[in-house]
């Protein structure tokens, strides 16, 4: 939750009611892809890129809709937490992109590659050569060839004119309005739409995704990278999706990979096309050493402006607040709010707004922003010595607890949602109220962001010993294996380089 963008619209007004069902659906995933499959089509094994790739300046002469890439760029950047500025990491990505551009279908095509300051695992393209990759994706990748696989896939969308083809099927103003409402809107229904892959400017058809895979693997091999990196990184993303789920056996219909063509199919196709360059392990460079050097010190997880998640605790040093969610809950810290989900379809939303009216908190709850409010349940309370108020609401098939707390010139708001009749509402809301408090100056000052640290394995060190150094997670061993693409049977030896998450 960003400290500088608290706004009154973080809980939507009455339109659509308390759309917490959308929150539950949204919280089922932590990976959103804007490079998505939205149309079922038959895969065509013989594909080729456009012989006349176009950039924004060229297309603008004949089609003003191509200006969308340039126009939406600042909005996309803002919705992903801004640009991630780090000279070493930027040089790394530029090196990878440069090698790919030299072997692309149009070496004269210009690209603007932006590293987004987001922990999400994401990459996508907009018309005109705008490419985006998140720092979260860079943290998950284990070598240069894996990032090259992602970038070559997105470059293929540009050189094959997929963005232009898509624009020609939709009116430009309709597309633009959808991007604004779905990427930047705080309306929960809009966020659910985003989670389901309605970001049209960066959404491609199934056939276009598979076509980009084919072109991307060819670019990988011709640039001298390991052509099997695409299949390898698809496996890593699938593993991250499973790790991030509250319930690994739950429906993953909203996650990153489900928004693309069937993941096993893509892995199989990627390996099939990679075989043109030779057997796995015999062709191409992975670029692991210089890649790890390039991401050593990379910011991992939440940025200071959005606060930090440490296990079951959310802490925001700049705002000076903290609270705990119950055991078994997964916290998802987004720019517009802190969201959490737990067993039994329980969902929590936390945000803050500027307190300009300075009315009583009981009057504030009753001021019309909560649909389904039960007025007779509104009551003033104290939360760890802070002025507060609480109430109950009910809408559709959900029951809600609404708790608001005032600190200085801000009002902080908890919305807890459970299926109607669930006994989890009271204990969940009580946990939030019992643990929400102001941080001490020493606590706030001690907070530091997590970063990727590259460690060299020493003689006698084991995976268990190295994973014990991981910070910011209760599942140290699982996350260590995940970010290092290790299986349960994987081993290490002295001299190996591994990634560790620490301050």
């Amino acid at each position: 939750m960003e400290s500088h963008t608290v706004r009154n619209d973080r809980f939507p007004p009455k339109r659509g009611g308390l759309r917490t069902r959308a929150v539950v659906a949204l919280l089922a995933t932590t990976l959103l892809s804007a490079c998505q499959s939205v149309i079922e089509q038959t895969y065509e094994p013989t594909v080729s890129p456009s012989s006349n790739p176009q950039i924004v300046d060229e297309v603008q002469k004949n089609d003003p809709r191509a200006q969308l890439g340039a126009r939406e760029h600042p909005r996309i950047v803002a919705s992903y937490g801004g640009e991630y500025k780090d000279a070493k990491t930027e040089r790394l990505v530029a090196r990878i992109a440069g090698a790919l551009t030299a072997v692309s279908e149009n070496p004269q095509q210009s690209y603007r590659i932006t590293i987004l300051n987001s922990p999400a695992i994401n990459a996508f393209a907009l018309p005109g050569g705008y490419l985006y990759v998140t720092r979260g994706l860079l943290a998950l990748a284990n070598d240069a060839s894996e990032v090259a696989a992602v970038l070559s896939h997105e470059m293929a969308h540009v050189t094959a004119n997929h963005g232009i083809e898509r624009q020609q099927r939709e009116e430009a103003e309709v597309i633009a309005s959808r991007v604004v409402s779905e990427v930047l809107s705080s309306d929960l229904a809009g966020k659910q739409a985003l989670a389901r892959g309605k970001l049209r400017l960066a959404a491609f058809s199934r056939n276009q995704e598979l076509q980009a895979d084919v072109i991307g693997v060819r670019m990988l091999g011709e640039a001298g990278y390991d052509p099997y990196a695409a299949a390898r990184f698809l496996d890593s993303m699938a593993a991250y999706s499973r790790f991030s789920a509250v319930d690994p056996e739950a429906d993953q219909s909203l996650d990153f990979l489900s928004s693309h063509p069937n993941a096993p199919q893509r892995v199989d196709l990627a390996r099939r096309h990679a075989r043109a360059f030779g057997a796995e392990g015999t062709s191409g460079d992975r670029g692991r050493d210089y890649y790890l050097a390039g991401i050593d010190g990379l910011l991992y997880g939440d940025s200071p402006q959005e606060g930090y998640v440490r296990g079951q605790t959310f802490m925001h040093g700049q705002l000076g607040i903290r609270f705990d969610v119950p055991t078994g809950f997964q916290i998802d810290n987004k720019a517009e709010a802190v969201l959490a989900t737990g067993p039994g379809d329980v969902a929590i939303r936390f945000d803050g707004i500027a307190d300009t009216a300075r009315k009583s908190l009981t009057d504030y709850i009753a001021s019309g922003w909560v649909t389904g409010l039960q007025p007779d349940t509104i009551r003033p309370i104290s939360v760890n010595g802070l002025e507060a108020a609480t109430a109950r609401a009910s809408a559709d098939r959900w029951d809600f607890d609404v708790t608001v707390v005032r600190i200085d010139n801000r009002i902080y708001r908890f919305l807890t949602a459970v299926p109607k009749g669930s006994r989890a509402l009271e204990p969940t809301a009580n946990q939030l109220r019992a643990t929400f408090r102001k941080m001490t100056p020493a606590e706030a000052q001690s907070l530091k962001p997590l970063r990727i640290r590259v460690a060299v394995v020493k003689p006698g060190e084991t995976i268990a010993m190295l994973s014990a150094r991981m910070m910011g997670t209760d599942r140290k061993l699982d996350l260590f294996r995940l970010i290092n693409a290790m299986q349960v049977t994987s081993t290490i030896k002295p001299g190996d380089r591994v990634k560790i998450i620490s301050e």
Side-chain angles (χ1 to χ4, degrees):
M1 185 183 74
E2 293 189 23
S3 61
H4 59 282
T5 57
V6 284
R7 302 189 306 269
N8 282 301
D9 59 2
R10 283 198 176 161
F11 275 164
K14 282 189 174 181
R15 64 177 187 273
L18 284 175
R19 300 297 291 275
T20 311
R21 187 173 183 179
V23 177
V24 175
L26 178 63
L27 287 173
T29 178
T30 58
L31 301 181
L32 300 179
S33 170
C35 175
Q36 301 184 6
S37 166
V38 293
I39 302 175
E40 293 293 329
Q41 296 183 354
T42 303
Y43 171 62
E44 299 173 4
T46 56
V47 296
S48 61
S50 167
S51 59
N52 184 32
Q54 304 171 66
I55 61 175
V56 168
D57 291 341
E58 295 172 335
V59 180
Q60 282 177 351
K61 299 175 183 178
N62 302 315
D63 188 352
R65 288 173 289 188
Q67 299 176 25
L68 284 172
R71 188 168 73 224
E72 297 306 325
H73 170 76
R75 296 173 180 173
I76 293 292
V77 170
S79 70
Y80 276 85
E83 295 186 34
Y84 180 71
K85 296 292 188 181
D86 179 83
K88 182 173 66 172
T89 307
E90 290 173 30
R91 286 195 299 269
L92 170 67
V93 175
R95 173 180 178 176
I96 297 170
L100 294 171
T101 302
V103 299
S104 70
E105 271 63 30
N106 180 18
Q108 283 72 47
Q109 168 74 62
S110 61
Y111 296 97
R112 177 172 180 171
I113 302 178
T114 301
I115 303 174
L116 297 170
N117 188 23
S118 170
I121 314 298
N122 211 342
F124 49 91
L126 292 182
Y130 289 84
L131 304 182
Y132 304 87
V133 60
T134 61
R135 60 174 170 81
L137 186 146
L138 298 178
L140 181 63
N142 274 280
D143 55 54
S145 68
E146 292 183 352
V147 175
V150 173
L151 292 179
S152 64
H153 175 97
E154 300 305 333
M155 287 178 173
H157 281 309
V158 175
T159 61
N161 285 336
H162 288 164
I164 303 301
E165 293 171 6
R166 181 187 55 240
Q167 289 181 61
Q168 292 171 345
R169 293 195 300 266
E170 302 233 21
E171 289 296 324
E173 291 309 314
V174 173
I175 299 174
S177 66
R178 284 177 180 170
V179 170
V180 173
S181 64
E182 293 168 12
V183 177
L184 302 181
S185 172
S186 63
D187 182 270
L188 297 181
K191 295 191 183 302
Q192 184 186 33
L194 172 60
R196 292 200 177 277
K198 302 301 185 182
L199 181 54
R200 298 292 183 178
L201 272 176
F204 297 99
S205 75
R206 180 184 186 86
N207 193 50
Q208 288 172 333
E209 290 289 354
L210 295 172
Q211 183 181 6
D213 282 346
V214 174
I215 298 172
V217 170
R218 182 202 60 74
M219 290 173 63
L220 271 180
E222 293 188 2
Y225 286 114
D226 177 10
Y228 291 86
R232 200 166 60 246
F233 195 58
L234 283 169
D235 284 337
S236 290
M237 287 192 293
Y240 190 91
S241 181
R242 292 190 297 270
F243 173 86
S244 301
V246 175
D247 179 359
E249 303 302 319
D251 175 27
Q252 301 293 312
S253 62
L254 290 176
D255 70 16
F256 182 101
L257 293 174
S258 70
S259 60
H260 289 69
N262 178 266
Q265 179 195 20
R266 292 187 73 192
V267 172
D268 179 67
L269 288 172
R271 286 203 171 97
R272 184 194 310 172
H273 290 290
R275 292 189 190 109
F277 296 91
E280 190 166 3
T282 64
S283 176
D285 177 40
R286 292 192 174 187
R288 179 171 170 82
D289 287 344
Y290 75 80
Y291 182 77
L292 291 181
I295 65 166
D296 192 15
L298 179 74
L299 185 66
Y300 182 87
D302 303 318
S303 65
Q305 292 75 27
E306 295 178 348
Y308 301 109
V309 176
R310 296 291 187 267
Q312 307 304 115
T313 302
F314 173 77
M315 298 176 285
H316 202 303
Q318 295 180 7
L319 296 177
I321 57 173
R322 61 173 291 162
F323 64 86
D324 300 335
V325 299
T327 301
F329 276 64
Q330 181 84 24
I331 301 178
D332 187 8
N333 182 19
K334 297 184 176 296
E336 73 280 355
V338 179
L339 309 174
T341 49
D345 290 332
V346 180
I348 297 166
R349 177 183 170 93
F350 170 80
D351 72 355
I353 65 164
D355 181 15
T356 57
R358 301 300 296 180
K359 63 177 64 176
S360 73
L361 292 181
T362 53
D363 286 345
Y364 172 71
I365 288 183
S367 62
W369 59 277
V370 179
T371 296
L373 180 68
Q374 300 170 2
D376 59 339
T377 65
I378 302 174
R379 60 188 178 90
I381 60 172
S382 175
V383 171
N384 289 314
L386 301 169
E387 179 189 0
T390 186
R392 293 292 176 87
S394 183
D396 196 14
R397 292 177 292 172
W398 300 89
D399 292 331
F400 308 95
D401 179 276
V402 182
T403 297
V404 296
V405 185
R406 175 180 282 138
I407 298 180
D408 299 327
N409 62 346
R410 284 198 172 112
I411 296 176
Y412 296 99
R413 309 184 293 190
F414 287 100
L415 175 66
T416 304
V418 302
K420 191 173 290 291
S422 170
R423 296 182 179 179
L425 183 59
E426 187 67 21
T428 303
N430 283 342
Q431 167 88 352
L432 300 172
R433 287 188 286 262
T435 59
F436 180 82
R437 64 175 176 83
K438 296 174 67 173
M439 300 178 66
T440 66
E443 286 178 320
Q445 189 173 8
S446 68
L447 279 180
K448 297 179 181 178
L450 297 177
R451 298 185 181 274
I452 294 288
R453 304 294 184 186
V454 178
V456 178
V457 178
K458 299 175 182 177
E461 285 188 317
T462 65
I463 290 178
M465 293 168 61
L466 290 166
S467 65
R469 294 162 57 183
M470 298 275 288
M471 299 178 65
T473 178
D474 296 329
R475 301 161 63 187
K476 297 177 183 290
L477 179 58
D478 290 342
L479 186 56
F480 177 82
R481 285 177 172 151
L482 176 67
I483 64 172
N484 288 287
M486 292 182 176
Q487 308 300 318
V488 176
T489 57
S490 297
T491 59
I492 56 174
K493 63 182 184 300
D496 285 349
R497 287 179 170 83
V498 295
K499 292 183 290 185
I500 292 174
I501 299 171
S502 65
E503 292 181 344

